[in-house]
Amino acid sequence: MTTDEFTVQGVPVSELAQQYGTPLFVYDTEVLRAGYQRLRERLHPAVDVLFSLKANPNVSVCAYLRSLGAGAEVSSLAELMTARRAGVDPKDTIFLGPGKSAEELTACLRAGLHAVVCESLAELKLLDALAVAEGLSEVPVMLRMNPDFHTKGSGLAMGGKPRQFGVDLAVLRQSADVVKRLRAARVIGVHAYMGTRFLDHADVLNNTTHILAAAEALCAELGVPLRTVDFGGGLGVPYFDGEKELDLDSLLVALHGVVDEFTRTHPETRLIMELGRYLTAMAGTYVVRVLYVKESMGETFAVADGGTNHHMAAVGVGSFVKRNFPIRSLTRYTEPAVGPVTVTGPLCTPNDVLGKRVQLPPVEPGDLLGVERSGAYGPTASPVLFLSHGYPAEVLVHDGEAHLVARRDTPEDLLNRQILKEF
Ligand SMILES: *Cc1c(COP(=O)(O)O)cnc(C)c1O
């Protein structure tokens, strides 16, 4: 039909929609690769990059990032299994999260990970006991510290204030006895994660500098070696009007200096940056098909077959005024906008708005619309079961070819979980 439609590595989006149906998430390996390499080329070689599966737990996305050199940061049994299936070496995998079960800790022990990141002293003692029960010794653990400094600039702060994550630095400093009494667990370093969606490189740099210094001082105080420091990351991607792209080049140049100085006194220490959003957000597009176009009291609505049930982030949680993710007409990709259209989904709630008054080219039933920069925190961070629409299909385009990497839920998939009690 039209030649100006959106394509992924030359594959027209209409073909993808035809073959796999809509709604659909499309991932572009060229964009994944470009983002990873842009980071890797300038990042200090002493720093390893781990992919935070929380952002996009698709096994093929993980496998592709692994093929580029990324390790994995996982937070559940299923994520651990995903990383293993994607071929990530356990020695390049860490497991963190504030509420690990004994079953999860035992799975970590059996997998032989680089480290389990303990988030409380009780968890540390439990892990130690489980390791003894498994007949293990020298089990590497990292301590997640909740630092005593605070950074502005995060969309969502995870440290530096009262949080369920990690252990307050002040408490860790008093924990030498606990650490000494461990029988099988061995503290090998420190983890800290200050928050997500940092868009000012000065904040990330400031976090890293503080974390490296605090980790060094803490390990000296506890009398444990500083073999690994994971300084988090939280690199953001701009979604909304007025947000500026993170100045990655400036960040990496400055970071190089900080890391270089650190490695001079700690040449054997493994440094880790764990990233989810930065590695995947730009590579994903959420594709929906317009079912109906209608007017209500002067406003034009395009009602699509998918909405916030697959893309909760588009709701713009946490901001008072609704802010829109970038939304484009994929069918008329190069046509100029003619007016505002509110793009909604199939849910029976007024909050199911993908984009409010979006400037779009003419929109007709059958058109494909795309929410861009949607490769992170998409369906798995959304209420996919709301109204029982289920999980959308996911397609990965690589070397100009589309591959189905997650099939959509069918009504049977959803109903199979339920058990009918007859009356
Ligand atoms: C969510 C999370 C990440 C990933 O954050 P991004 O901002 O997506 O890079 C990394 N580490 C921890 C501890 C997290 O909770």
Side-chain angles (χ1 to χ4, degrees), residues 86-148:
V88 182
D89 190 327
K91 290 291 163 215
D92 293 323
T93 303
I94 62 171
F95 194 117
L96 57 78
K100 302 179 199 73
S101 66
E103 185 191 10
E104 286 170 329
L105 290 171
T106 302
C108 291
L109 291 170
R110 291 181 183 165
L113 305 185
H114 173 67
V116 177
V117 180
C118 285
E119 307 222 10
S120 68
L121 295 177
E123 183 198 327
L124 180 61
K125 289 174 196 165
L126 174 60
L127 181 73
D128 190 49
L130 291 169
V132 170
E134 290 282 312
L136 298 171
S137 61
E138 305 295 318
V139 171
V141 305
M142 290 164 73
L143 301 174
R144 180 166 179 179
M145 100 182 143
N146 184 11
D148 52 6

Side-chain angles (χ1 to χ4, degrees), residues 52 54-55 73 96 144 158 191 193 195-197 234-235 274-278 377:
S52 301
K54 181 180 69 180
E73 175 259 293
L96 57 78
R144 180 166 179 179
M158 310 258 194
H191 169 282
Y193 176 77
T196 186
R197 279 197 21 81
L235 308 193
E274 56 188 34
L275 297 170
R277 195 183 312 272
Y278 171 83
Y377 304 103

Side-chain angles (χ1 to χ4, degrees), residues 164-178:
Q164 69 270 50
F165 309 115
V167 184
D168 289 356
L169 179 56
V171 175
L172 284 177
R173 295 178 61 187
Q174 305 298 318
S175 304
D177 279 353
V178 178

Side-chain angles (χ1 to χ4, degrees), residues 137-220:
S137 61
E138 305 295 318
V139 171
V141 305
M142 290 164 73
L143 301 174
R144 180 166 179 179
M145 100 182 143
N146 184 11
D148 52 6
F149 67 93
H150 177 67
T151 329
K152 297 192 194 75
S154 165
L156 199 59
M158 310 258 194
K161 42 169 75 178
R163 281 292 181 262
Q164 69 270 50
F165 309 115
V167 184
D168 289 356
L169 179 56
V171 175
L172 284 177
R173 295 178 61 187
Q174 305 298 318
S175 304
D177 279 353
V178 178
V179 170
K180 269 194 207 89
R181 267 186 259 120
L182 296 170
R183 287 165 295 166
R186 293 290 169 264
V187 175
I188 62 153
V190 174
H191 169 282
Y193 176 77
M194 300 306 293
T196 186
R197 279 197 21 81
F198 284 104
L199 287 171
D200 185 342
H201 70 280
D203 290 330
V204 181
L205 190 68
N206 188 39
N207 288 342
T208 309
T209 310
H210 276 88
I211 291 165
L212 290 176
E216 180 176 28
L218 177 64
C219 286

